[in-house]
Amino acid sequence: MAPVPTFPVKVGQIDDVQELRKVEPSTIPERFVRDLTERPSSLATALSPPAGIPIINLSKLMKGNHDEFHNEILNLATACEEWGFFQVIDHGIELNLLENIEKVAKDFFMLPLEEKKKYPMLPGTVQGYGQAFVFSENQKLDWCNMFALGVEPHFIRNPKLWPAKPAEFSETLETYSRDVRKLCQCLLKYVAMSLGLKAETFEEMFGVAVQAVRMNYYPPCPRPDLVLGLSPHSDGSALTVLQQGKGSSVGLQILKNNTWVPVQPIPNALVINVGDTIEVLTNGRYKSVEHRAVTHKEKDRLSIVTFYAPSYEVELGPMPELVNENNPCKYRRYNHGEYSKHYVTNKLQGKKTMEFAKIQTQNST
């Protein structure tokens, strides 16, 4: 949630996809139609592995016996190393809270456009209602409406963007964000242990962690084969927590072995992914993975995403324990605030933002 960019941003006309559905339900403006190479392929669904992405049972890490703990730590290491994604079950967040945050998010998106426009996402910024990561008039748009807010620490909040309706929105988000923060802190302890590091490694390094939430609403699309709900990207966070709305279409896809693999939601589970920050800190052992969202012809989709990252003041680079002759240093040291600013002032484009952190060699392409 970096500051507003200093350069002027001209984004052209950005249509609200929910309003498009109301006014011209069968029309897709040219700006949403992807180039042939970017369009979602039905092949991805056919190639989905039967087992899907790994599942981590948090209660086995927190309360399991020695064998259960050991097996789950190994599972976590494999998930982070080979997938960059996992679904966490028995995560400890009350189910009624998951239901409540979904309800207030959906209720917000169902408000009249005039009400939602009171909380605009200004061009080049990433808080408010609208579309983020749009920086030019000819840039392709995602078939998605977003509502994003900075949560912690308090100085990144913009109180004017916290909505008055629905009435219980702010209180619900505060409670939800507090519990998700605890979950991220807990997961990072086990991520550290899976690397052979002491449990408090990341907590001590991160300082007062930055936390932001983005709610995404994907209306049904008459031509889901032509558009993307969200462009391919990796996350700039340390960890990202994704809650997929109950009854929503399957929309999340991750890139594995050059194939887009759909993520089948497990009821009441949360999807966790490794962000760019962990990739840098682990010197590439745990990788942030490209992912995207696709749309559905008849079903809508809601997702609630929490980003958890180090304080902007923190200097980051590969941890010495994870650098050796067989795995030489791949990333430079940098200020996390500078990386965050770089991330939010560039369009979503795969893992391109990681070039900021990579050590450039003569042989690199």
Side-chain angles (χ1 to χ4, degrees):
M1 295 290 164
V4 177
T6 53
F7 54 88
V9 179
K10 295 182 179 180
V11 297
Q13 173 64 31
I14 299 180
D15 290 312
D16 185 288
V17 287
Q18 284 174 262
E19 298 304 305
L20 279 177
R21 286 285 299 170
K22 292 177 189 174
V23 180
E24 298 182 80
S26 61
T27 301
I28 299 177
E30 189 61 31
R31 247 189 120 180
F32 289 91
V33 178
R34 294 283 170 158
D35 297 335
L36 279 169
T37 55
E38 294 183 311
R39 294 177 188 176
S41 166
S42 58
L43 192 61
T45 306
L47 293 173
S48 176
I53 68 170
I55 298 167
I56 301 298
N57 187 324
L58 189 58
S59 67
K60 288 184 179 179
L61 289 170
M62 297 179 74
K63 305 170 188 173
N65 61 37
H66 179 270
D67 288 344
E68 288 175 327
F69 175 84
H70 180 70
N71 289 336
E72 214 61 19
I73 278 284
L74 290 177
N75 289 340
L76 180 62
T78 301
C80 293
E81 201 163 339
E82 297 182 8
W83 287 84
F85 270 80
F86 56 90
Q87 297 199 60
V88 62
I89 59 173
D90 287 352
H91 45 66
I93 298 180
E94 294 289 338
L95 299 185
N96 68 327
L97 182 55
L98 300 183
E99 290 169 0
N100 289 344
I101 195 71
E102 269 182 44
K103 183 179 187 305
V104 295
K106 190 71 173 279
D107 287 351
F108 175 82
F109 284 114
M110 294 304 119
L111 291 171
L113 182 60
E114 295 70 30
E115 183 67 28
K116 291 182 286 190
K117 276 187 170 179
K118 292 178 182 177
Y119 314 101
M121 186 182 292
L122 299 175
T125 68
V126 289
Q127 292 201 54
Y129 175 78
Q131 276 217 21
F133 306 104
V134 182
F135 296 99
S136 71
E137 297 178 73
N138 58 2
Q139 187 177 329
K140 292 295 184 182
L141 300 176
D142 293 329
W143 191 265
C144 177
N145 285 337
M146 299 177 174
F147 185 49
L149 296 168
V151 179
E152 295 292 346
H154 274 237
F155 75 83
I156 72 168
R157 295 189 182 201
N158 184 341
K160 293 179 181 177
L161 295 178
W162 286 59
K165 297 177 184 177
E168 61 276 18
F169 184 99
S170 293
E171 183 183 350
T172 304
L173 181 59
E174 292 278 15
T175 307
Y176 179 78
S177 295
R178 182 196 66 213
D179 284 9
V180 171
R181 192 175 185 86
K182 289 178 184 174
L183 174 63
C184 289
Q185 291 166 342
C186 181
L187 286 170
L188 281 169
K189 287 181 181 178
Y190 297 116
V191 170
M193 292 169 75
S194 75
L195 291 160
L197 305 169
K198 66 176 185 177
E200 299 78 22
T201 298
F202 295 120
E203 188 174 350
E204 290 174 357
M205 185 191 303
F206 283 12
V208 180
V210 173
Q211 187 174 341
V213 66
R214 191 180 73 225
M215 300 169 178
N216 306 308
Y217 180 69
Y218 307 92
C221 180
R223 291 293 305 274
D225 56 316
L226 300 181
V227 308
L228 284 175
L230 192 59
S231 300
H233 64 286
S234 62
D235 293 337
S237 58
L239 288 182
T240 300
V241 179
L242 167 70
Q243 179 178 339
Q244 305 194 75
K246 270 189 182 174
S248 290
S249 62
V250 176
L252 174 64
Q253 296 182 343
I254 66 175
L255 190 62
K256 183 165 175 62
N257 301 328
N258 295 314
T259 299
W260 288 106
V261 177
V263 176
Q264 301 288 341
I266 297 171
N268 305 319
L270 295 169
V271 178
I272 313 294
N273 65 278
V274 170
D276 296 346
T277 297
I278 293 293
E279 176 168 334
V280 170
L281 291 171
T282 64
N283 199 35
R285 180 167 163 185
Y286 290 175
K287 288 182 174 61
S288 61
V289 171
E290 266 187 73
H291 50 287
R292 70 182 186 183
V294 297
T295 62
H296 193 277
K297 191 168 185 175
E298 292 152 6
K299 279 189 171 184
D300 63 357
R301 178 171 178 259
L302 174 73
S303 67
I304 300 154
V305 190
T306 299
F307 304 98
Y308 186 88
S311 163
Y312 291 140
E313 287 77 38
V314 171
E315 295 286 319
L316 295 176
M319 290 183 284
E321 302 94 321
L322 301 174
V323 177
N324 54 48
E325 286 183 9
N326 296 324
N327 192 24
C329 194
K330 298 182 177 76
Y331 307 94
R332 65 184 181 88
R333 288 194 67 79
Y334 58 86
N335 171 267
H336 180 63
E338 286 299 310
Y339 180 70
S340 295
K341 186 175 181 181
H342 170 76
Y343 188 95
V344 302
T345 53
N346 283 275
K347 70 176 184 177
L348 299 180
Q349 199 172 354
K351 293 196 68 171
K352 196 169 178 18
T353 49
M354 282 294 284
E355 291 172 13
F356 175 95
K358 283 183 178 174
I359 293 174
Q360 300 299 322
T361 63
Q362 289 183 333
N363 295 326
S364 62
T365 56

